[in-house]
Amino acid sequence: MLGEVWIICNDIHNSLIFNSKLLIQVLPIDTLEILPSIVETHIGGEVLLPIAVLGFKDGKKFYFDDCSQVNFDVDIVEKNRIRYNADTFMPGTGQNSCRSLSFECIASGNSRVTISYNHSGSEDRKIFTHAIIGCYKPLKMIHPVEDQIVILSLGAAIDLAFEGGPRPWSMYPEGHYTKGKFA
């Protein structure tokens, strides 16, 4: 039920022990946000999307402290790349997050995830937000091969080769770079 309540706590045995008023508000959900987080991992890894649920009252924005009872609908475009762990309940991670949703990478590539809430079962009151999750093959050294010992003389060099690792984002390929100078 929507509304608000003031709670005042005091010790019935000692009236000097009390706490000031606490306001608890129950507001309708107006907006969903996915907060900034790491949205890519290796195959078999987990991505946690921190969800913020907001309500508005008197023109002021309020972040929900607890949204554990909210039923979100999760839609994944490429279901063969990412699996939603619906059975795993994760508390919010970070500031303003009331809950985190867990996704497991099962194949290499990117996929769009839509998280929605259908207010009062009405399609015209559907609230949603999107994220892109990236999955990549684990970074693996291919030259020199694993367990091979390489001995170099002073001033010598060797080329290293890797495969796997994070891939360029399709929406932001110029943000992908490699670093390579080793001393």
Side-chain angles (χ1 to χ4, degrees), residues 34-108:
I34 297 173
L35 300 176
S37 63
I38 298 172
V39 291
E40 65 180 339
T41 190
H42 58 86
I43 295 172
E46 178 185 48
V47 171
L48 291 177
L49 291 182
I51 306 299
V53 177
L54 292 88
F56 292 90
K57 182 177 180 187
D58 301 328
K60 188 172 179 187
K61 174 169 61 172
F62 292 94
Y63 286 92
F64 283 41
D65 293 307
D66 182 7
C67 61
S68 59
Q69 301 301 310
V70 176
N71 293 321
F72 296 114
D73 294 322
V74 177
D75 183 45
I76 301 170
V77 174
E78 295 284 341
K79 291 177 177 55
N80 60 339
R81 292 188 178 141
I82 297 169
R83 180 181 308 125
Y84 172 51
N85 299 323
D87 299 333
T88 306
F89 177 78
M90 302 295 294
T93 55
Q95 187 176 10
N96 297 329
S97 173
C98 60
R99 184 170 163 193
S100 294
L101 301 182
S102 171
F103 296 86
E104 180 185 1
C105 284
I106 53 178
S108 182

XYZ file of all heavy atoms in Angstrom, residues 34-108:
584
model
N 20.203 1.054 -14.635
C 21.319 0.153 -14.411
C 22.500 1.050 -14.104
O 22.884 1.896 -14.918
C 21.601 -0.726 -15.647
C 20.391 -1.616 -15.926
C 22.853 -1.559 -15.419
C 20.491 -2.402 -17.213
N 23.068 0.889 -12.924
C 24.160 1.749 -12.488
C 25.468 1.307 -13.141
O 25.613 0.145 -13.542
C 24.263 1.713 -10.961
C 23.001 2.191 -10.245
C 23.149 2.028 -8.734
C 22.697 3.637 -10.581
N 26.435 2.231 -13.256
C 27.715 1.872 -13.877
C 28.383 0.692 -13.164
O 28.442 0.647 -11.935
C 28.549 3.147 -13.719
C 27.549 4.246 -13.577
C 26.379 3.629 -12.860
N 28.843 -0.248 -13.965
C 29.514 -1.437 -13.429
C 30.304 -2.095 -14.552
O 30.200 -1.704 -15.716
C 28.487 -2.419 -12.856
O 27.640 -2.884 -13.879
N 31.059 -3.117 -14.208
C 31.802 -3.892 -15.206
C 30.806 -4.813 -15.903
O 30.146 -5.621 -15.248
C 32.936 -4.689 -14.549
C 33.931 -3.719 -13.907
C 33.612 -5.601 -15.558
C 34.988 -4.377 -13.060
N 30.684 -4.673 -17.218
C 29.664 -5.422 -17.959
C 30.271 -6.413 -18.945
O 29.638 -6.780 -19.927
C 28.689 -4.468 -18.688
C 27.824 -3.724 -17.703
C 29.438 -3.515 -19.599
N 31.492 -6.849 -18.687
C 32.066 -7.897 -19.516
C 32.905 -8.813 -18.640
O 33.462 -8.396 -17.632
C 32.896 -7.324 -20.672
C 34.118 -6.561 -20.258
C 34.903 -6.023 -21.435
O 34.766 -6.542 -22.554
O 35.681 -5.097 -21.224
N 32.942 -10.078 -19.043
C 33.727 -11.064 -18.322
C 34.044 -12.222 -19.262
O 33.527 -12.292 -20.379
C 32.986 -11.558 -17.053
O 33.894 -12.338 -16.265
C 31.766 -12.380 -17.400
N 34.874 -13.126 -18.793
C 35.243 -14.299 -19.590
C 34.119 -15.324 -19.575
O 33.218 -15.274 -18.725
C 36.535 -14.919 -19.033
C 36.413 -15.319 -17.592
N 35.918 -16.540 -17.195
C 36.683 -14.642 -16.458
C 35.907 -16.605 -15.891
N 36.369 -15.461 -15.406
N 34.155 -16.251 -20.518
C 33.163 -17.318 -20.585
C 33.214 -18.104 -19.275
O 34.272 -18.476 -18.801
C 33.420 -18.235 -21.792
C 33.226 -17.437 -23.090
C 32.507 -19.458 -21.772
C 33.642 -18.176 -24.334
N 32.051 -18.312 -18.680
C 31.966 -18.970 -17.381
C 31.948 -17.982 -16.227
O 31.653 -18.345 -15.098
N 32.239 -16.711 -16.506
C 32.244 -15.681 -15.473
C 30.867 -15.076 -15.264
O 29.926 -15.336 -16.015
N 30.765 -14.260 -14.217
C 29.489 -13.662 -13.832
C 29.562 -12.139 -13.960
O 30.550 -11.520 -13.600
C 29.174 -14.037 -12.385
C 27.910 -13.449 -11.841
C 27.711 -13.768 -10.372
O 28.660 -13.593 -9.579
O 26.599 -14.184 -10.021
N 28.489 -11.570 -14.484
C 28.321 -10.116 -14.545
C 27.167 -9.752 -13.621
O 26.091 -10.338 -13.713
C 28.021 -9.640 -15.985
C 27.635 -8.179 -16.012
C 29.210 -9.897 -16.890
N 27.415 -8.800 -12.724
C 26.365 -8.309 -11.840
C 25.935 -6.933 -12.304
O 26.764 -6.021 -12.408
C 26.862 -8.214 -10.398
C 27.149 -9.521 -9.687
C 27.702 -9.259 -8.294
C 25.901 -10.380 -9.603
N 24.653 -6.791 -12.612
C 24.111 -5.485 -12.992
C 23.400 -4.881 -11.782
O 22.357 -5.384 -11.358
C 23.123 -5.625 -14.151
C 23.675 -6.024 -15.501
C 22.554 -6.068 -16.537
C 24.765 -5.081 -15.954
N 23.959 -3.799 -11.211
C 23.286 -3.151 -10.086
C 22.093 -2.336 -10.572
O 22.214 -1.493 -11.456
C 24.373 -2.257 -9.476
C 25.379 -2.077 -10.548
C 25.251 -3.215 -11.506
N 20.930 -2.610 -9.993
C 19.689 -1.966 -10.408
C 19.299 -0.904 -9.383
O 19.317 -1.153 -8.176
C 18.546 -3.000 -10.517
C 18.940 -4.162 -11.424
C 17.254 -2.348 -10.993
C 19.253 -3.779 -12.836
N 18.945 0.264 -9.876
C 18.395 1.322 -9.035
C 16.937 1.509 -9.424
O 16.606 1.589 -10.604
C 19.170 2.623 -9.221
N 16.083 1.549 -8.427
C 14.661 1.782 -8.635
C 14.346 3.136 -8.010
O 14.729 3.404 -6.876
C 13.811 0.668 -7.987
C 12.333 0.956 -8.143
C 14.159 -0.682 -8.605
N 13.674 3.995 -8.783
C 13.396 5.346 -8.312
C 11.908 5.627 -8.262
O 11.149 5.132 -9.089
C 14.047 6.373 -9.246
C 15.559 6.427 -9.261
C 16.121 5.467 -10.263
C 16.013 7.825 -9.573
N 11.555 6.441 -7.301
C 10.204 6.961 -7.183
C 10.291 8.468 -7.013
O 11.324 8.995 -6.601
N 9.233 9.166 -7.329
C 9.211 10.621 -7.205
C 8.057 11.032 -6.303
O 6.972 10.478 -6.372
C 9.058 11.291 -8.576
C 10.252 11.101 -9.452
C 10.354 10.012 -10.299
C 11.297 12.019 -9.419
C 11.459 9.838 -11.107
C 12.405 11.852 -10.228
C 12.490 10.760 -11.062
N 8.338 12.024 -5.456
C 7.300 12.582 -4.598
C 7.574 14.072 -4.456
O 8.691 14.468 -4.109
C 7.310 11.916 -3.225
C 6.214 12.439 -2.324
C 6.195 11.730 -1.009
C 5.064 12.317 -0.188
N 5.068 11.818 1.164
N 6.562 14.863 -4.755
C 6.673 16.324 -4.684
C 7.847 16.838 -5.511
O 8.570 17.748 -5.106
C 6.817 16.791 -3.228
C 5.638 16.371 -2.373
O 4.513 16.288 -2.916
O 5.836 16.106 -1.176
N 8.073 16.222 -6.684
C 9.138 16.646 -7.589
C 10.532 16.229 -7.152
O 11.516 16.585 -7.796
N 10.651 15.472 -6.071
C 11.956 15.044 -5.577
C 12.159 13.562 -5.884
O 11.235 12.759 -5.768
C 12.052 15.294 -4.075
C 13.419 15.073 -3.517
C 13.505 15.518 -2.072
C 14.909 15.246 -1.561
N 15.041 15.478 -0.139
N 13.387 13.213 -6.274
C 13.730 11.847 -6.657
C 14.179 11.066 -5.413
O 14.985 11.545 -4.634
C 14.850 11.906 -7.691
C 15.433 10.590 -8.097
C 16.340 10.677 -9.295
C 17.537 11.558 -9.104
N 18.496 11.466 -10.211
N 13.651 9.839 -5.257
C 14.028 8.965 -4.153
C 14.482 7.618 -4.707
O 13.787 7.017 -5.525
C 12.850 8.729 -3.199
C 12.444 9.944 -2.430
C 11.429 10.765 -2.905
C 13.067 10.275 -1.240
C 11.035 11.887 -2.194
C 12.684 11.396 -0.525
C 11.670 12.211 -1.002
N 15.652 7.147 -4.252
C 16.127 5.814 -4.603
C 15.582 4.822 -3.582
O 15.637 5.072 -2.381
C 17.662 5.753 -4.587
C 18.296 6.449 -5.752
C 18.673 7.785 -5.676
C 18.538 5.766 -6.939
C 19.265 8.419 -6.751
C 19.131 6.393 -8.019
C 19.491 7.720 -7.915
O 20.081 8.350 -8.972
N 15.070 3.701 -4.056
C 14.543 2.679 -3.160
C 15.711 2.016 -2.423
O 16.753 1.736 -3.013
C 13.784 1.606 -3.943
C 12.409 2.017 -4.392
C 12.143 3.278 -4.888
C 11.369 1.116 -4.340
C 10.878 3.647 -5.311
C 10.097 1.462 -4.758
C 9.847 2.729 -5.238
N 15.508 1.735 -1.142
C 16.516 1.021 -0.354
C 16.376 -0.488 -0.502
O 17.345 -1.222 -0.393
C 16.391 1.399 1.134
C 16.757 2.850 1.375
O 17.853 3.266 0.953
O 15.945 3.570 1.974
N 15.162 -0.952 -0.733
C 14.913 -2.383 -0.857
C 13.924 -2.616 -1.996
O 12.830 -2.057 -2.001
C 14.343 -2.939 0.448
C 14.107 -4.435 0.398
O 14.493 -5.091 -0.592
O 13.524 -4.970 1.358
N 14.327 -3.412 -2.959
C 13.412 -3.782 -4.054
C 13.441 -5.296 -4.255
O 13.246 -5.784 -5.362
C 13.761 -3.028 -5.338
S 15.417 -3.350 -5.960
N 13.686 -6.022 -3.171
C 13.806 -7.478 -3.252
C 12.498 -8.151 -3.665
O 12.527 -9.253 -4.203
C 14.285 -8.045 -1.911
O 13.380 -7.710 -0.881
N 11.370 -7.507 -3.436
C 10.083 -8.109 -3.780
C 9.563 -7.682 -5.154
O 8.487 -8.100 -5.563
C 9.044 -7.754 -2.707
C 9.420 -8.225 -1.315
C 9.620 -9.735 -1.260
O 8.781 -10.498 -1.713
N 10.750 -10.154 -0.714
N 10.325 -6.851 -5.846
C 9.912 -6.387 -7.174
C 10.224 -7.484 -8.197
O 11.335 -8.004 -8.238
C 10.636 -5.071 -7.555
C 10.277 -4.653 -8.973
C 10.302 -3.974 -6.562
N 9.253 -7.824 -9.000
C 9.444 -8.825 -10.051
C 9.833 -8.141 -11.351
O 8.998 -7.517 -12.003
C 8.168 -9.649 -10.246
C 7.862 -10.517 -9.058
O 8.766 -11.081 -8.450
N 6.605 -10.617 -8.703
N 11.098 -8.260 -11.700
C 11.586 -7.702 -12.956
C 11.429 -8.739 -14.064
O 11.596 -9.933 -13.835
C 13.066 -7.322 -12.850
C 13.351 -6.230 -11.869
C 14.092 -6.472 -10.733
C 12.886 -4.941 -12.088
C 14.372 -5.467 -9.834
C 13.158 -3.926 -11.196
C 13.904 -4.189 -10.057
N 11.113 -8.269 -15.258
C 11.147 -9.117 -16.446
C 12.496 -8.894 -17.110
O 12.917 -7.753 -17.295
C 10.027 -8.736 -17.418
C 8.647 -9.018 -16.855
O 8.495 -10.049 -16.172
O 7.733 -8.210 -17.095
N 13.175 -9.987 -17.446
C 14.497 -9.897 -18.070
C 14.417 -10.539 -19.436
O 13.994 -11.690 -19.572
C 15.570 -10.591 -17.199
C 16.918 -10.562 -17.889
C 15.658 -9.929 -15.832
N 14.804 -9.784 -20.461
C 14.809 -10.295 -21.830
C 16.224 -10.179 -22.380
O 16.838 -9.107 -22.303
C 13.833 -9.504 -22.701
C 13.758 -10.061 -24.108
O 13.672 -11.298 -24.255
O 13.809 -9.257 -25.055
N 16.750 -11.265 -22.915
C 18.096 -11.307 -23.483
C 17.963 -11.554 -24.972
O 17.292 -12.499 -25.395
C 18.927 -12.421 -22.825
C 19.025 -12.183 -21.314
C 20.304 -12.510 -23.449
C 19.612 -13.337 -20.544
N 18.606 -10.707 -25.784
C 18.515 -10.845 -27.237
C 19.224 -12.119 -27.699
O 18.665 -12.921 -28.436
C 19.089 -9.591 -27.943
C 19.140 -9.801 -29.443
C 18.257 -8.368 -27.602
N 20.473 -12.303 -27.289
C 21.258 -13.479 -27.689
C 21.301 -14.459 -26.516
O 22.270 -14.487 -25.757
C 22.674 -13.062 -28.089
C 22.741 -12.181 -29.314
C 22.536 -12.965 -30.583
O 22.693 -14.187 -30.582
O 22.188 -12.328 -31.601
N 20.284 -15.278 -26.385
C 20.202 -16.203 -25.256
C 21.272 -17.292 -25.294
O 21.529 -17.943 -24.288
C 18.812 -16.831 -25.207
C 17.721 -15.845 -24.826
C 16.363 -16.502 -24.861
C 15.242 -15.601 -24.430
N 15.115 -14.357 -25.118
N 21.893 -17.491 -26.452
C 22.950 -18.497 -26.555
C 24.295 -17.965 -26.043
O 25.262 -18.710 -25.976
C 23.085 -18.990 -27.996
C 23.439 -17.873 -28.962
O 23.213 -16.695 -28.673
N 23.980 -18.240 -30.103
N 24.367 -16.681 -25.671
C 25.610 -16.097 -25.151
C 25.567 -15.818 -23.656
O 26.579 -15.869 -22.983
C 25.925 -14.794 -25.877
C 26.287 -15.002 -27.306
C 26.785 -13.734 -27.927
N 27.155 -14.013 -29.310
C 26.937 -13.201 -30.299
N 26.374 -12.041 -30.086
N 27.289 -13.526 -31.515
N 24.390 -15.479 -23.157
C 24.260 -15.051 -21.765
C 23.071 -15.754 -21.134
O 22.018 -15.900 -21.761
C 24.066 -13.521 -21.688
C 25.299 -12.820 -22.235
C 23.805 -13.062 -20.263
C 25.107 -11.353 -22.444
N 23.242 -16.144 -19.886
C 22.165 -16.793 -19.134
C 21.862 -15.940 -17.898
O 22.768 -15.561 -17.159
C 22.590 -18.186 -18.702
C 21.536 -18.931 -17.905
C 21.990 -20.316 -17.450
N 22.512 -21.092 -18.567
C 23.730 -21.657 -18.577
N 24.541 -21.525 -17.556
N 24.122 -22.354 -19.619
N 20.585 -15.655 -17.686
C 20.152 -14.923 -16.496
C 19.990 -15.896 -15.349
O 19.303 -16.907 -15.470
C 18.829 -14.193 -16.779
C 18.179 -13.565 -15.578
C 18.893 -12.734 -14.726
C 16.847 -13.802 -15.287
C 18.293 -12.159 -13.624
C 16.230 -13.222 -14.194
C 16.970 -12.404 -13.358
O 16.370 -11.834 -12.268
N 20.638 -15.623 -14.230
C 20.546 -16.472 -13.046
C 19.401 -15.966 -12.171
O 19.618 -15.291 -11.167
C 21.869 -16.459 -12.266
C 23.020 -16.984 -13.087
O 22.858 -17.911 -13.873
N 24.181 -16.380 -12.936
N 18.186 -16.310 -12.539
C 16.995 -15.802 -11.853
C 16.883 -16.329 -10.429
O 16.290 -15.676 -9.574
C 15.738 -16.173 -12.640
N 17.444 -17.497 -10.166
C 17.345 -18.096 -8.838
C 18.327 -17.485 -7.841
O 18.215 -17.718 -6.646
C 17.584 -19.605 -8.909
C 16.546 -20.294 -9.780
O 15.426 -19.755 -9.891
O 16.858 -21.354 -10.343
N 19.308 -16.732 -8.334
C 20.320 -16.147 -7.470
C 19.892 -14.745 -7.067
O 19.818 -13.852 -7.907
C 21.678 -16.075 -8.211
O 22.005 -17.363 -8.692
C 22.770 -15.572 -7.299
N 19.603 -14.551 -5.776
C 19.259 -13.206 -5.300
C 20.533 -12.523 -4.814
O 21.265 -13.049 -3.992
C 18.235 -13.231 -4.169
C 17.961 -11.847 -3.649
C 17.129 -10.996 -4.354
C 18.579 -11.385 -2.509
C 16.901 -9.703 -3.908
C 18.351 -10.101 -2.054
C 17.505 -9.259 -2.757
N 20.794 -11.360 -5.354
C 21.974 -10.591 -4.978
C 21.516 -9.250 -4.425
O 20.735 -8.553 -5.074
C 22.868 -10.355 -6.201
C 23.339 -11.618 -6.887
S 24.427 -12.621 -5.872
C 25.829 -11.571 -5.739
N 22.013 -8.872 -3.236
C 21.680 -7.536 -2.734
C 22.329 -6.479 -3.616
O 23.192 -6.786 -4.446
C 22.268 -7.536 -1.318
C 23.310 -8.601 -1.334
C 22.883 -9.610 -2.347
N 21.924 -5.245 -3.443
C 22.481 -4.160 -4.239
C 23.969 -3.998 -4.030
O 24.485 -4.213 -2.936
N 24.677 -3.670 -5.096
C 26.107 -3.392 -5.007
C 26.309 -1.931 -5.355
O 25.860 -1.463 -6.388
C 26.914 -4.276 -5.981
O 26.389 -4.106 -7.299
C 26.831 -5.738 -5.598
N 26.944 -1.213 -4.488
C 27.202 0.201 -4.748
C 26.095 1.090 -4.231
O 25.052 0.641 -3.761
N 26.346 2.372 -4.325
C 25.406 3.368 -3.825
C 24.160 3.426 -4.704
O 24.249 3.351 -5.922
C 26.087 4.722 -3.800
C 25.268 5.803 -3.148
C 26.031 7.113 -3.069
O 27.083 7.264 -3.645
N 25.463 8.059 -2.356
N 23.006 3.553 -4.102
C 21.699 3.692 -4.746
C 21.181 2.414 -5.389
O 20.122 2.418 -5.999
C 21.694 4.824 -5.782
C 21.960 6.170 -5.153
O 21.609 6.413 -4.006
N 22.602 7.047 -5.899
N 21.895 1.325 -5.296
C 21.423 0.062 -5.866
C 20.631 -0.698 -4.808
O 21.109 -0.905 -3.695
C 22.607 -0.781 -6.341
O 22.180 -2.056 -6.735
N 19.432 -1.124 -5.162
C 18.611 -1.876 -4.204
C 18.673 -3.375 -4.482
O 18.178 -4.174 -3.694
C 17.174 -1.374 -4.233
S 16.369 -1.531 -5.826
N 19.288 -3.754 -5.601
C 19.373 -5.162 -5.975
C 20.309 -5.302 -7.166
O 20.445 -4.379 -7.963
C 17.980 -5.650 -6.341
C 17.871 -7.103 -6.654
C 16.401 -7.444 -6.750
N 16.191 -8.700 -7.415
C 15.022 -9.116 -7.842
N 13.966 -8.353 -7.683
N 14.882 -10.261 -8.426
N 20.946 -6.450 -7.287
C 21.778 -6.735 -8.449
C 21.260 -7.989 -9.135
O 20.823 -8.923 -8.467
C 23.239 -6.945 -8.036
O 23.784 -5.754 -7.537
N 21.301 -7.980 -10.456
C 20.891 -9.143 -11.233
C 22.142 -9.830 -11.756
O 23.070 -9.174 -12.235
C 19.978 -8.732 -12.383
C 18.693 -8.007 -11.986
C 17.857 -7.705 -13.222
C 17.886 -8.794 -10.982
N 22.155 -11.157 -11.687
C 23.328 -11.951 -12.037
C 23.151 -12.597 -13.416
O 22.120 -13.206 -13.699
C 23.536 -13.030 -10.970
O 24.526 -13.945 -11.361
N 24.193 -12.471 -14.249
C 24.205 -13.068 -15.581
C 25.494 -13.856 -15.754
O 26.551 -13.425 -15.298
C 24.129 -11.983 -16.666
C 22.848 -11.205 -16.636
C 22.706 -10.100 -15.811
C 21.772 -11.590 -17.413
C 21.530 -9.390 -15.767
C 20.578 -10.885 -17.369
C 20.460 -9.774 -16.540
N 25.403 -15.006 -16.409
C 26.571 -15.845 -16.659
C 26.872 -15.868 -18.149
O 25.974 -16.038 -18.974
C 26.302 -17.274 -16.175
C 27.464 -18.203 -16.402
C 27.141 -19.638 -16.043
O 25.998 -19.923 -15.631
O 28.029 -20.484 -16.200
N 28.139 -15.686 -18.483
C 28.566 -15.748 -19.883
C 28.756 -17.208 -20.285
O 29.442 -17.963 -19.597
C 29.875 -14.994 -20.072
S 29.661 -13.216 -20.076
N 28.149 -17.591 -21.411
C 28.265 -18.977 -21.872
C 28.896 -19.093 -23.259
O 29.264 -20.174 -23.671
C 26.900 -19.699 -21.829
C 25.821 -18.928 -22.580
C 26.465 -19.939 -20.398
C 24.457 -19.600 -22.612
N 29.014 -17.981 -23.988
C 29.663 -17.999 -25.300
C 30.206 -16.605 -25.599
O 29.728 -15.606 -25.063
C 28.690 -18.433 -26.391
N 31.183 -16.541 -26.472
C 31.835 -15.277 -26.813
C 30.907 -14.374 -27.626
O 30.175 -14.834 -28.491
C 33.105 -15.577 -27.617
O 33.787 -14.393 -27.922
